[in-house]
Amino acid sequence: QQQQQQQSSRPQRGVQYALNAQGEEESAGCVLMRVRRDSEAAGGEVVEALIIQRGGNRGYELPKGHLEQDETAEQAAVRELREETGLVTEVELGDFVGESRYKIRNGNAKWVRFFAASCPSSAGPLEFGLGKEKATTELRWVTLQELPQVQLKAEATRRIIRMALDKQQQQQRRQ
């Protein structure tokens, strides 16, 4: 996507974000999923997605953030996943799973694209280091069955997580 030189009027942490050709700030994020053994689940396994809680927000969200200069949405999604969670394990980025468009406090339009992600079994157990951003206060794994009861920062996030988990569960059943 081509970036215009026009800048956002609200810098965050001293950074001004470029607006795309449609006048939107662009961000990207991941729905990191894992398969956990569960003797009570159908097939003995359950698929979970990682959600995070940041700052004083009561609701959970997905790891996401602005694209940096010359960065693709896919690169930004993985970078933000690592920055916001401290994930050090190898990550495989999967398919595009959804997008969200909304207005932020300064009135700018924002476009966020989300991608499925997982850690290959060859990478070993998931490892979260001490390098996560201070604003991230909690990491939580959630199943499709738990998702309706989880308080999320934005309702659009629920739809995106549901789509990613549904797709992953369908793939698990075929294996």
Side-chain angles (χ1 to χ4, degrees), residues 6-19 25 27 54 57 66 102-110 153:
Q6 184 181 8
Q7 298 292 309
S8 167
S9 60
R10 182 181 149 252
Q12 184 177 348
R13 289 181 245 144
V15 175
Q16 290 193 336
Y17 301 109
L19 302 180
E25 291 185 15
S27 289
R54 293 180 52 81
N57 294 326
H66 286 93
Y102 54 92
K103 294 264 188 205
I104 55 177
R105 283 185 221 147
N106 68 357
N108 281 352
K110 188 166 186 175
K153 183 178 171 186

Side-chain angles (χ1 to χ4, degrees), residues 19-161:
L19 302 180
N20 65 17
Q22 290 75 37
E24 302 165 310
E25 291 185 15
E26 288 188 57
S27 289
C30 287
V31 182
L32 180 66
M33 292 174 285
R34 71 177 182 185
V35 177
R36 182 177 51 82
R37 294 194 190 287
D38 183 343
S39 59
E40 296 179 18
E45 295 179 329
V46 64
V47 179
E48 299 174 311
L50 182 69
I51 54 178
I52 63 174
Q53 197 165 40
R54 293 180 52 81
N57 294 326
R58 286 187 291 171
Y60 289 90
E61 59 188 293
L62 291 167
K64 68 179 183 323
H66 286 93
L67 274 64
E68 293 182 355
Q69 187 175 8
D70 298 325
E71 191 175 44
T72 67
E74 293 85 353
Q75 290 167 333
V78 172
R79 178 183 49 76
E80 288 290 340
L81 173 65
R82 291 191 183 290
E83 287 176 4
E84 293 187 359
T85 67
L87 181 69
V88 294
T89 309
E90 179 185 349
V91 174
E92 288 181 347
L93 195 66
D95 295 335
F96 169 81
V97 291
E99 65 185 2
S100 180
R101 282 188 152 96
Y102 54 92
K103 294 264 188 205
I104 55 177
R105 283 185 221 147
N106 68 357
N108 281 352
K110 188 166 186 175
W111 177 34
V112 186
R113 289 173 278 175
F114 290 95
F115 299 88
S118 62
C119 295
S121 56
S122 61
L126 289 177
E127 185 179 337
F128 296 94
L130 301 175
K132 75 174 174 54
E133 290 179 351
K134 290 180 183 176
T136 303
T137 56
E138 185 182 348
L139 305 177
R140 177 178 172 186
W141 292 97
V142 61
T143 66
L144 194 56
Q145 291 71 30
E146 296 165 336
L147 187 59
Q149 289 78 41
V150 175
Q151 182 178 353
L152 297 171
K153 183 178 171 186
E155 196 55 36
T157 304
R158 192 176 315 277
R159 174 182 49 82
I160 291 164
I161 295 170

